[in-house]
Protein backbone atom coordinates (compact mmCIF):
# COMPACT_ATOMS: atom_id res chain seq x y z
CA UNK A 1 0.00 0.00 0.00
CA UNK A 2 2.65 2.48 1.04
CA UNK A 3 5.72 3.45 -0.96
CA UNK A 4 8.81 5.26 0.20
CA UNK A 5 10.29 8.18 -1.69
CA UNK A 6 13.37 7.38 -3.74
CA UNK A 7 15.98 10.02 -4.45
CA UNK A 8 16.36 10.76 -8.14
CA UNK A 9 19.64 12.70 -7.84
CA UNK A 10 18.03 15.73 -9.49
CA UNK A 11 17.39 13.97 -12.80
CA UNK A 12 14.44 15.34 -14.81
CA UNK A 13 11.19 13.48 -14.22
CA UNK A 14 10.29 11.25 -17.16
CA UNK A 15 6.61 11.23 -18.18
CA UNK A 16 6.82 9.23 -21.42
CA UNK A 17 4.43 6.31 -21.83
CA UNK A 18 2.56 7.06 -18.60
CA UNK A 19 -1.21 6.96 -18.38
CA UNK A 20 -2.84 10.24 -17.26
CA UNK A 21 -3.37 9.06 -13.68
CA UNK A 22 0.22 7.90 -13.26
CA UNK A 23 1.50 11.10 -14.80
CA UNK A 24 -0.42 13.18 -12.26
CA UNK A 25 0.81 11.01 -9.39
CA UNK A 26 4.39 11.46 -10.51
CA UNK A 27 3.92 15.21 -10.88
CA UNK A 28 3.06 15.64 -7.19
CA UNK A 29 5.46 13.17 -5.60
CA UNK A 30 8.33 14.48 -3.56
CA UNK A 31 11.70 14.22 -5.25
CA UNK A 32 14.78 15.43 -3.38
CA UNK A 33 16.31 18.40 -5.13
CA UNK A 34 13.38 19.03 -7.46
CA UNK A 35 10.66 21.64 -7.06
CA UNK A 36 7.04 20.55 -7.44
CA UNK A 37 4.61 22.47 -9.65
CA UNK A 38 1.50 22.99 -7.51
CA UNK A 39 -0.18 25.39 -9.95
CA UNK A 40 -2.99 22.93 -10.76
CA UNK A 41 -3.53 21.80 -7.17
CA UNK A 42 -7.04 22.70 -5.99
CA UNK A 43 -6.61 24.49 -2.67
CA UNK A 44 -10.07 25.58 -1.57
CA UNK A 45 -8.54 27.93 0.99
CA UNK A 46 -7.33 30.14 -1.85
CA UNK A 47 -9.96 29.92 -4.62
CA UNK A 48 -12.38 32.74 -5.34
CA UNK A 49 -15.90 32.25 -6.69
CA UNK A 50 -14.87 32.74 -10.32
CA UNK A 51 -12.08 30.18 -10.05
CA UNK A 52 -14.42 27.66 -8.43
CA UNK A 53 -17.01 28.19 -11.15
CA UNK A 54 -14.36 27.60 -13.82
CA UNK A 55 -13.38 24.32 -12.18
CA UNK A 56 -16.93 23.11 -11.63
CA UNK A 57 -16.93 23.46 -7.84
CA UNK A 58 -20.10 24.52 -6.03
CA UNK A 59 -19.84 26.01 -2.53
CA UNK A 60 -22.52 26.03 0.15
CA UNK A 61 -21.08 27.13 3.46
CA UNK A 62 -18.21 24.75 4.26
CA UNK A 63 -19.41 22.16 1.70
CA UNK A 64 -17.82 21.97 -1.75
CA UNK A 65 -19.32 19.69 -4.42
CA UNK A 66 -17.37 18.83 -7.55
CA UNK A 67 -18.79 18.32 -11.05
CA UNK A 68 -15.80 16.07 -11.80
CA UNK A 69 -15.59 13.43 -10.64
CA UNK A 70 -19.30 13.50 -9.88
CA UNK A 71 -19.90 12.60 -6.26
CA UNK A 72 -16.73 14.13 -4.78
CA UNK A 73 -17.62 16.31 -1.79
CA UNK A 74 -15.23 18.15 0.49
CA UNK A 75 -16.29 19.65 3.83
CA UNK A 76 -13.63 22.04 5.07
CA UNK A 77 -12.91 21.99 8.80
CA UNK A 78 -15.55 19.36 9.55
CA UNK A 79 -13.70 18.30 12.72
CA UNK A 80 -12.50 20.98 15.12
CA UNK A 81 -9.09 20.79 16.80
CA UNK A 82 -10.47 19.13 19.94
CA UNK A 83 -12.05 16.40 17.80
CA UNK A 84 -8.83 15.97 15.85
CA UNK A 85 -6.70 15.54 18.97
CA UNK A 86 -9.23 13.31 20.75
CA UNK A 87 -9.63 10.88 17.86
CA UNK A 88 -5.95 10.90 16.87
CA UNK A 89 -5.09 10.03 20.47
CA UNK A 90 -7.38 6.98 20.28
CA UNK A 91 -5.77 5.95 16.99
CA UNK A 92 -2.29 6.16 18.50
CA UNK A 93 -3.11 4.45 21.81
CA UNK A 94 -6.11 2.16 21.39
CA UNK A 95 -6.89 1.24 17.79
CA UNK A 96 -3.42 -0.23 17.20
CA UNK A 97 -3.93 -2.94 19.85
CA UNK A 98 -5.78 -6.24 19.82
CA UNK A 99 -8.45 -7.11 18.88
CA UNK A 100 -7.80 -4.60 16.10
CA UNK A 101 -5.32 -5.53 13.40
CA UNK A 102 -2.32 -3.63 12.03
CA UNK A 103 0.26 -4.22 9.32
CA UNK A 104 2.70 -5.58 11.92
CA UNK A 105 1.17 -9.05 11.72
CA UNK A 106 3.07 -9.62 8.44
CA UNK A 107 6.42 -9.41 10.25
CA UNK A 108 8.09 -12.10 12.31
CA UNK A 109 6.67 -12.32 15.79
CA UNK A 110 10.11 -12.17 17.40
CA UNK A 111 11.20 -9.01 15.58
CA UNK A 112 12.43 -6.29 17.91
CA UNK A 113 9.82 -3.59 17.38
CA UNK A 114 11.27 -1.44 20.15
CA UNK A 115 13.81 -0.06 17.69
CA UNK A 116 10.94 1.51 15.74
CA UNK A 117 9.27 3.14 18.73
CA UNK A 118 9.85 6.83 19.33
CA UNK A 119 10.33 7.34 23.07
CA UNK A 120 10.77 11.08 23.45
CA UNK A 121 9.07 13.04 26.20
CA UNK A 122 9.59 16.20 24.17
CA UNK A 123 7.76 14.76 21.14
CA UNK A 124 5.63 11.60 21.31
CA UNK A 125 5.60 7.85 21.94
CA UNK A 126 4.66 5.83 18.89
CA UNK A 127 5.83 2.84 16.86
CA UNK A 128 6.63 4.24 13.42
CA UNK A 129 6.53 0.74 11.94
CA UNK A 130 2.73 0.87 12.22
CA UNK A 131 1.41 2.06 8.87
CA UNK A 132 -2.25 1.04 9.08
CA UNK A 133 -4.85 -0.36 11.46
CA UNK A 134 -8.14 -2.05 10.58
CA UNK A 135 -11.26 -2.09 12.75
CA UNK A 136 -14.63 -3.58 11.93
CA UNK A 137 -14.61 -6.13 9.11
CA UNK A 138 -11.01 -7.25 8.63
CA UNK A 139 -9.98 -6.72 5.02
CA UNK A 140 -7.81 -9.45 3.48
CA UNK A 141 -5.17 -7.42 1.64
CA UNK A 142 -3.67 -10.42 -0.17
CA UNK A 143 -6.91 -11.80 -1.61
CA UNK A 144 -8.78 -8.48 -1.75
CA UNK A 145 -11.96 -9.51 -0.01
CA UNK A 146 -13.72 -9.27 3.35
CA UNK A 147 -13.91 -12.46 5.41
CA UNK A 148 -16.54 -12.73 8.14
CA UNK A 149 -14.09 -11.87 10.92
CA UNK A 150 -14.77 -8.48 12.41
CA UNK A 151 -14.42 -6.36 15.53
CA UNK A 152 -16.77 -3.77 16.86
CA UNK A 153 -16.30 -0.37 15.23
CA UNK A 154 -15.48 1.98 18.14
CA UNK A 155 -18.16 4.48 19.11
CA UNK A 156 -16.04 7.59 18.36
CA UNK A 157 -15.57 6.48 14.74
CA UNK A 158 -19.22 5.51 14.39
CA UNK A 159 -20.12 8.91 15.79
CA UNK A 160 -18.13 10.99 13.31
CA UNK A 161 -19.32 8.76 10.44
CA UNK A 162 -22.95 9.20 11.42
CA UNK A 163 -22.37 12.91 11.99
CA UNK A 164 -20.96 13.19 8.46
CA UNK A 165 -23.84 11.24 6.95
CA UNK A 166 -26.44 13.25 8.85
CA UNK A 167 -24.77 16.52 7.93
CA UNK A 168 -24.69 15.74 4.20
CA UNK A 169 -27.91 13.64 4.18
CA UNK A 170 -26.49 11.28 1.58
CA UNK A 171 -28.08 8.06 2.81
CA UNK A 172 -30.95 7.08 5.10
CA UNK A 173 -29.33 3.90 6.41
CA UNK A 174 -25.57 4.19 6.84
CA UNK A 175 -23.44 1.99 9.06
CA UNK A 176 -19.65 2.16 9.31
CA UNK A 177 -18.70 -1.52 8.98
CA UNK A 178 -15.01 -1.43 8.04
CA UNK A 179 -12.48 1.26 8.89
CA UNK A 180 -8.91 1.70 7.68
CA UNK A 181 -6.67 4.01 9.69
CA UNK A 182 -3.58 5.06 7.76
CA UNK A 183 -0.47 6.50 9.43
CA UNK A 184 1.65 8.52 6.99
CA UNK A 185 5.14 9.82 7.54
CA UNK A 186 6.11 13.00 5.72
CA UNK A 187 7.57 11.31 2.63
CA UNK A 188 5.09 8.46 2.28
CA UNK A 189 2.57 8.16 -0.51
CA UNK A 190 -0.23 5.81 -1.51
CA UNK A 191 -0.53 4.71 -5.12
CA UNK A 192 -3.77 4.95 -7.09
CA UNK A 193 -6.31 2.22 -6.43
CA UNK A 194 -10.00 1.34 -6.41
CA UNK A 195 -12.00 0.50 -3.29
CA UNK A 196 -13.87 -2.26 -5.07
CA UNK A 197 -13.85 -5.17 -2.60
CA UNK A 198 -17.00 -4.13 -0.74
CA UNK A 199 -20.23 -5.76 -1.86
CA UNK A 200 -21.89 -2.39 -1.28
CA UNK A 201 -20.50 -0.10 -3.97
CA UNK A 202 -23.30 2.44 -3.61
CA UNK A 203 -22.82 3.76 -0.07
CA UNK A 204 -20.31 6.62 0.27
CA UNK A 205 -16.83 6.42 1.71
CA UNK A 206 -16.13 9.03 4.38
CA UNK A 207 -12.49 10.03 4.76
CA UNK A 208 -11.24 12.18 7.65
CA UNK A 209 -7.85 13.95 7.71
CA UNK A 210 -5.67 14.62 10.75
CA UNK A 211 -2.29 16.33 10.92
CA UNK A 212 -0.19 17.17 7.88
CA UNK A 213 -1.99 18.25 4.73
CA UNK A 214 -1.88 16.01 1.67
CA UNK A 215 -2.43 15.98 -2.08
CA UNK A 216 -5.38 13.73 -2.93
CA UNK A 217 -5.91 12.73 -6.56
CA UNK A 218 -9.09 11.21 -7.98
CA UNK A 219 -10.05 10.53 -11.58
CA UNK A 220 -12.24 8.01 -13.34
CA UNK A 221 -12.96 4.26 -13.32
CA UNK A 222 -9.77 3.69 -15.34
CA UNK A 223 -6.35 5.30 -15.15
CA UNK A 224 -6.81 6.63 -18.67
CA UNK A 225 -8.84 9.54 -17.28
CA UNK A 226 -6.84 12.48 -15.98
CA UNK A 227 -7.50 13.01 -12.27
CA UNK A 228 -7.88 16.22 -10.35
CA UNK A 229 -5.64 17.01 -7.38
CA UNK A 230 -7.15 18.41 -4.18
CA UNK A 231 -5.36 19.68 -1.08
CA UNK A 232 -6.74 18.10 2.10
CA UNK A 233 -6.10 19.76 5.46
CA UNK A 234 -6.42 18.56 9.02
CA UNK A 235 -10.07 18.39 10.05
CA UNK A 236 -11.35 18.06 6.47
CA UNK A 237 -13.94 15.48 5.43
CA UNK A 238 -13.58 14.06 1.91
CA UNK A 239 -16.50 12.04 0.55
CA UNK A 240 -16.54 9.67 -2.42
CA UNK A 241 -20.16 9.06 -3.33
CA UNK A 242 -22.10 8.12 -6.47
CA UNK A 243 -19.82 7.84 -9.51
CA UNK A 244 -16.74 8.86 -7.51
CA UNK A 245 -17.18 5.80 -5.28
CA UNK A 246 -15.88 3.68 -8.19
CA UNK A 247 -13.01 5.92 -9.30
CA UNK A 248 -9.25 5.58 -8.99
CA UNK A 249 -7.78 7.68 -6.21
CA UNK A 250 -4.56 8.00 -4.25
CA UNK A 251 -2.32 10.20 -2.12
CA UNK A 252 0.92 11.02 -3.97
CA UNK A 253 2.17 13.61 -1.51
CA UNK A 254 2.21 14.51 2.16
CA UNK A 255 2.98 18.20 2.64
CA UNK A 256 5.61 18.73 5.32
CA UNK A 257 5.27 21.59 7.82
CA UNK A 258 1.58 22.07 6.98
CA UNK A 259 -0.07 21.39 10.36
CA UNK A 260 0.15 24.66 12.24
CA UNK A 261 -2.92 25.81 14.16
CA UNK A 262 -2.47 29.30 15.59
CA UNK A 263 -0.77 27.97 18.71
CA UNK A 264 -0.13 24.72 20.53
CA UNK A 265 -2.94 24.68 23.12
CA UNK A 266 -1.48 21.71 24.99
CA UNK A 267 1.22 22.64 27.53
CA UNK A 268 4.17 20.34 28.07
CA UNK A 269 3.06 19.97 31.67
CA UNK A 270 0.53 17.43 30.40
CA UNK A 271 3.32 14.95 29.63
CA UNK A 272 2.72 11.34 30.59
CA UNK A 273 5.54 8.86 30.09
CA UNK A 274 3.21 5.95 29.37
CA UNK A 275 0.59 7.33 27.00
CA UNK A 276 0.44 9.79 24.14
CA UNK A 277 -0.99 12.82 25.88
CA UNK A 278 -2.58 15.73 24.05
CA UNK A 279 0.82 17.42 23.91
CA UNK A 280 2.40 14.31 22.34
CA UNK A 281 -0.43 13.87 19.86
CA UNK A 282 -0.17 17.49 18.74
CA UNK A 283 3.54 17.00 18.09
CA UNK A 284 2.94 13.75 16.22
CA UNK A 285 0.40 15.43 13.95
CA UNK A 286 2.93 18.17 13.25
CA UNK A 287 5.13 15.53 11.58
CA UNK A 288 2.63 12.92 10.34
CA UNK A 289 -0.78 12.47 8.78
CA UNK A 290 -3.51 10.16 10.05
CA UNK A 291 -6.37 9.28 7.75
CA UNK A 292 -9.54 7.46 8.83
CA UNK A 293 -11.77 6.15 6.06
CA UNK A 294 -15.03 4.36 6.75
CA UNK A 295 -17.29 2.37 4.49
CA UNK A 296 -20.15 -0.09 4.42
CA UNK A 297 -19.19 -3.59 3.34
CA UNK A 298 -22.67 -5.02 2.85
CA UNK A 299 -25.77 -3.32 1.55
CA UNK A 300 -27.95 -2.01 4.38
CA UNK A 301 -30.88 -4.14 5.47
CA UNK A 302 -33.86 -1.83 5.18
CA UNK A 303 -37.05 -2.82 6.93
CA UNK A 304 -40.02 -3.28 4.62
Amino acid sequence: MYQKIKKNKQKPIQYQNLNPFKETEKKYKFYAGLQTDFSELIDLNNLNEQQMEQQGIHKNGSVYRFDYPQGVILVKGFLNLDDQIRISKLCMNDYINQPYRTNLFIYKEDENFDKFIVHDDQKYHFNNKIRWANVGYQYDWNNRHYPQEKTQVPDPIQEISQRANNFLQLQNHYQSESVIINFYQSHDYMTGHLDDAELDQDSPIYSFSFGLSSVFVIGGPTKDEKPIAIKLDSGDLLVMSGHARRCYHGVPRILANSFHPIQNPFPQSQLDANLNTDFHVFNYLSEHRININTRQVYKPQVEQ
Side-chain angles (χ1 to χ4, degrees), residues 8 10-14 34:
N8 72 341
Q10 299 186 7
K11 294 180 181 179
I13 302 173
Q14 302 298 318
L34 290 182

Side-chain angles (χ1 to χ4, degrees), residues 138-165:
Q138 303 294 292
Y139 184 58
D140 183 338
W141 298 94
N142 293 325
N143 297 307
R144 289 182 54 76
H145 77 102
Y146 285 92
Q148 290 300 312
E149 292 82 6
K150 67 175 181 178
T151 67
Q152 193 74 20
V153 174
D155 288 343
I157 295 182
Q158 284 285 14
E159 188 274 328
I160 60 172
S161 301
Q162 292 296 332
R163 194 198 312 175
N165 191 65

